[in-house]
């Protein structure tokens, strides 16, 4: 059964990579995916290192579906817990995936600093360019 799970996760992590390359416009290098996930919610962020800056790219429904499938492939049975944060990086033709678990971080507490800390750890102080606010959106002010 463990081999089946590894086969499933290996396929899913490959499909996630293919979708990330699609999102990044076909460039398979210097892509970073930061995902926080919990019961009934997901927050994926896709970033591409452009050398002088980091660009936050819009994700896709396909990416979210693959992430959900990978998360649910992890069972909370038998002492194995589902991850809360996944950091997935493609750099210099190599894949690096890091997981953080509920006992390490409580993602139910909203904290944008976790994502910023992960970005600084990989890219230093490079500026991050976010997509423009969609037309029709509004900004809440205190």
């Amino acid at each position: 059964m463990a081999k089946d799970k590894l086969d499933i996760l290996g396929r899913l992590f490959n499909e996630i990579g293919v979708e990330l390359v699609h999102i990044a416009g076909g460039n398979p290098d210097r892509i970073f995916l930061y995902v926080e996930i919990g019961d009934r919610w997901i927050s994926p962020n896709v970033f591409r290192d452009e050398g002088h800056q980091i660009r936050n790219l819009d994700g896709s429904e396909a990416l979210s579906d693959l992430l959900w499938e990978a998360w649910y492939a992890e069972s909370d049975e038998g002492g194995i817990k589902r991850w809360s944060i996944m950091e997935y990086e493609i750099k210099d033709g190599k894949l690096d995936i890091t997981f953080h678990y509920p006992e390490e971080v409580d993602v139910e507490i909203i904290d944008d600093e976790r994502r910023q800390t992960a970005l600084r750890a990989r890219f230093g102080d490079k500026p991050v360019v976010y997509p423009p606010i969609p037309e029709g959106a509004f900004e809440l002010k205190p």
Side-chain angles (χ1 to χ4, degrees):
M1 179 135 105
K3 179 154 178 32
D4 292 337
K5 178 178 156 183
L6 292 177
D7 289 341
I8 291 167
L9 287 172
R11 176 189 58 79
L12 287 169
F13 291 139
N14 182 62
E15 289 180 27
I16 288 168
V18 169
E19 183 62 19
L20 289 172
V21 169
H22 173 73
I23 290 168
N27 183 355
D29 198 27
R30 303 185 309 181
I31 302 170
F32 176 57
L33 168 66
Y34 179 86
V35 181
E36 292 190 8
I37 192 168
D39 188 32
R40 295 185 291 261
W41 64 270
I42 187 169
S43 178
N45 295 104
V46 180
F47 299 92
R48 183 180 60 221
D49 184 350
E50 296 180 338
H52 62 288
Q53 67 186 14
I54 307 306
R55 183 166 307 275
N56 181 223
L57 306 171
D58 289 331
S60 69
E61 187 174 330
L63 176 62
S64 291
D65 290 347
L66 289 166
L67 292 167
W68 276 120
E69 195 174 343
W71 191 68
Y72 278 111
E74 295 287 357
S75 169
D76 276 339
E77 299 170 7
I80 298 174
K81 294 188 177 182
R82 289 186 176 123
W83 43 274
S84 298
I85 296 174
M86 178 174 65
E87 298 176 21
Y88 183 114
E89 183 175 31
I90 303 171
K91 183 177 179 181
D92 299 327
K94 296 179 184 170
L95 173 63
D96 180 43
I97 304 175
T98 304
F99 299 99
H100 301 278
Y101 295 88
E103 62 272 9
E104 298 173 82
V105 62
D106 184 0
V107 295
E108 296 300 328
I109 297 172
I110 298 172
D111 183 358
D112 286 337
E113 192 57 34
R114 286 189 297 260
R115 179 187 60 208
Q116 296 302 354
T117 299
L119 286 171
R120 279 193 298 274
R122 279 187 169 65
F123 305 117
D125 291 331
K126 289 183 184 180
V128 180
V129 177
Y130 291 91
I133 296 174
E135 188 174 317
F138 58 92
E139 184 177 339
L140 298 176
K141 295 186 180 190

